[in-house]
Amino acid sequence: MKKTFPLNHEQLKSLVEKYPTPFYIYDEKAIRENMRRFTKAFSIFPKFREHFAVKACPNPYLLKILAQEGCGADCSSLPELMLCEIAGIKKDKVIFTSNETPANEFKYAYANSNIINLDDFTHIDFLEKTLGHLPKTLCFRYNPGSAKHGCNSIIGKPEEAKYGLTREQMIEAYRIAKEKGVEHFGLHTMVASNELNVDFFVDTAKLVFELAVEVKEKTGVRIEFADLGGGIGIPYKPEQKAVDYEELAKKIRAEYDKIIVPAGLDPIGVYWECGRPITGPYGWLVSTAIHEKHIYREYIALDSCMADLMRPGMYGAYHEITVSGKEDAAKDNVYDVVGSLCENCDKFAIQRQLPKIDMGDLVIIHDAGAHGRAMGYNYNGKLRCGELLLREDGTVVEIRRKETINDLFLTLDLDGVEKFKA
Ligand SMILES: *Cc1c(COP(=O)(O)O)cnc(C)c1O
């Protein structure tokens, strides 16, 4: 599918006059429409909820939009829990799926009435010591190990992944938690990342549903929600196909009818905690071409760098690139499109066929709305760019300003340096 951008060339040029590049821009209308399609597909379950994975795009303005569309949130750290609080997401719609969690973060999540999802068997004790008791609601993260066939390219094989409890530990965990007074239970797993194969998720759902039945048989604990994690992929490459939400929902519903219903567990909550498919395709990194270089290869350098978008440098991930105003031009040039970091992996695209790029051209990197700016860093003293939101009425608001040099130096006591005797 041809990648699109919500502003035409003239609109983008005038936006850049007000907000110089580089910046991220998100499309509110497209985010809402996608969320409604997702919710509609999964409304065939008696209790469904998406918990947006905050780490994918930790901006409270976007969280507020998603909350309005019925989403809860999935958090992996205390600051992410705080962002949900700021965005006004209802406390019991926030799941805290962390791992190797420090005590103070558990304390905050508990005091804040968020749902705690434990990543390890030993955390039952740790949590009990930390709080003085266990919460009334508790979820456990299942690592299916070799029971899960196939291998996802980002998370890898479950046996080699650091997350979750084994099957035996899961059963034991529910038994102990029940003894210690826990009243409401969830079951979570996450074994995929950026996966486009529907059957991979159906198979995961089957494993989770079967475990819920086994837990009931062996411990008497009734699982109230099954959290299938995140990991639904998006078609980064134009030739890839998006996951069909309706097909996915229907196939999972068939497993639900086969496993959950006959076991008397219906209705059980079916939850997702997706990030990537919720905001990924609806965010773009917009940059200006500022240098061209002709050595053994042809290079185009942007005013952004991998500090703004890590995925290509970190995973060799593909992101489609278009040039504003040259959408229909012939792709008769081959470039490495690079940033300014002193790392040779700072390349947004390698040997990519693109139209001829002139200095000053506005270069759009697609599918950057999840795990984009959030993954950035300040290596090389790079300042990360800001974020804009295209509202449904066509206006644009700044939802995060660019970083400044002052932000970068904020952790240093500069007066102390002056007084410091080397
Ligand atoms: C990263 C993560 C997610 C979201 O993953 P996406 O690929 O963005 O959908 C959800 N849950 C957990 C536990 C995660 O670590």
Side-chain angles (χ1 to χ4, degrees), residues 50-56 74-76 97-99 117 141 154-155 163 188-190 192-195 227-233 272-278 370-371:
E50 152 67 3
H51 301 78
F52 178 66
V54 174
K55 75 167 193 260
D74 162 55
C75 297
S76 56
T97 299
S98 57
N99 68 92
N117 182 17
R141 179 171 185 165
I154 295 184
I155 292 199
Y163 310 109
H188 168 276
T189 198
M190 162 123 184
S193 182
N194 195 28
E195 181 63 56
D227 182 341
L228 303 175
I232 297 178
W272 285 102
E273 40 181 56
C274 290
R276 196 183 312 269
I278 307 302
H371 311 292

